[in-house]
Amino acid sequence: RRVHGARQWFNAISFLNLNFDLTSPECAAAGLDTWLLKYVLTILLPVLFAVPFGSVLGAGVLYVKVLARRLGRETDLTTASLLDAVWRSYVQLFSLLYMALCGMTLSYFRCRREKDGKFTLETAPTRRCYDSRWWGLFPLALVFAIVYALGLPVLIYVLLSVARYKAHRANALWRFQLRYAFLVARFRDESYRYETLIMLRKLGVVLSMTLWSSPENKAYSAIICLAWCLLHKVSHKPYRYLYHNTLGMVCLASCLFILWAAINTDETSRFVLVLSGVVINTCAIVVGNIVDLVKFKAAQKDAEQAAKDVAVTAETDTFEPQGFRGGLLDSPAPSGYRELTLNPSFERMRGDSITDSDPALSLRDSVPMELLTPPPPVASFNDTLSLQGS
């Protein structure tokens, strides 16, 4: 069942997805299988992105080992700190590419029966399923599907668990917060691995589009997956701020409403209800990110002022500004946010000795991480576009 207005909107914003169709590789590869070319390029994205990351690492090591010495310049950078920074950035990239990688690798198994009784790929109707050519690529597609769909969430889970355990043993949880801020800064301490659950939610939606052939079964399967995620979010409230929890609930609830309206209403009602859900979801995402940006700008000013006040306190050592406790704000949540729990690691920071032993992570003043790290968006157009297949 199609709602043409909603489909046109999804097509209009599809440019926000990682999409090789925009590059038209077939123009430069005449005579090749276009779909297979796009498939291979997508599953090799981690390898392709390793090239620029490796180049940056090589240039940094060259500067530290050779150029800095010849130019007589002092640098706090080390090979170990550069390698650690590049590795963390590379891993963080996986969370951004996860939806695209899962969607493409699992698309190889999305087959549908045509009127003549034969099966074709949904994403490439000219390609047959279950023939000799399809079975020839089946082992490769299965390996990449397992590695990306399951391997990446497991990698993020293990990486965060091990890193936090080591930081806890060293009584330096602030170091963990700094190193993996992109993955953990927006979540409460006890939910620091929630990013893996977000990845599994995306996997659930992709599997819903892959395992079933009828639109109704796809929609019902996605509804079950998203409903469970919504209940979990309502009960656990994983985000640090109530604002982000509420925004995430609105986005998930609107997606559920869109799916329900698309399969359980008549033609006229379906058009109105689905478009209403799309408008609500889009407004929540756009307005939410704008509000986040405004609040982050205000938080930056607060952080700069806090740093100046801490510097004045350190110089005079005769008074402590009102609202501070040992260099930490009494209310670490930026203006407009309501913090659900105070991160205990920031309390411990007061007793930690922050030195320059790790140049990549050194702090010059004890400013709370909430003021320094922008909370990443809790929803994205990728989540909305994942409904396109239904």
Side-chain angles (χ1 to χ4, degrees), residues 185-188 237-249 292 295 299 331-341 346 368-375 378:
R186 50 183 169 159
F187 305 120
R188 295 188 295 157
K237 295 180 178 61
Y239 292 98
R240 185 177 301 279
Y241 302 115
L242 179 63
Y243 165 73
H244 289 141
N245 283 301
T246 304
L247 186 59
M249 293 174 194
D292 256 347
K295 292 182 180 296
S331 301
S335 176
Y337 287 103
R338 174 185 170 189
E339 188 175 9
L340 299 180
T341 59
F346 297 139
M369 276 299 300
E370 290 93 333
L371 300 181
L372 299 179
T373 306
V378 297

Side-chain angles (χ1 to χ4, degrees), residues 314-345:
E315 291 177 1
T316 61
D317 198 28
T318 57
F319 72 99
E320 189 172 74
Q322 183 179 1
F324 280 77
R325 304 191 317 272
L328 293 181
L329 285 169
D330 282 329
S331 301
S335 176
Y337 287 103
R338 174 185 170 189
E339 188 175 9
L340 299 180
T341 59
L342 180 62
N343 189 335
S345 62

Side-chain angles (χ1 to χ4, degrees), residues 168 171 173-174 189 343-352:
H168 180 73
N171 194 26
L173 289 178
W174 60 269
D189 272 3
N343 189 335
S345 62
F346 297 139
E347 293 290 336
R348 297 190 186 94
M349 192 191 298
R350 297 166 58 192
D352 289 342

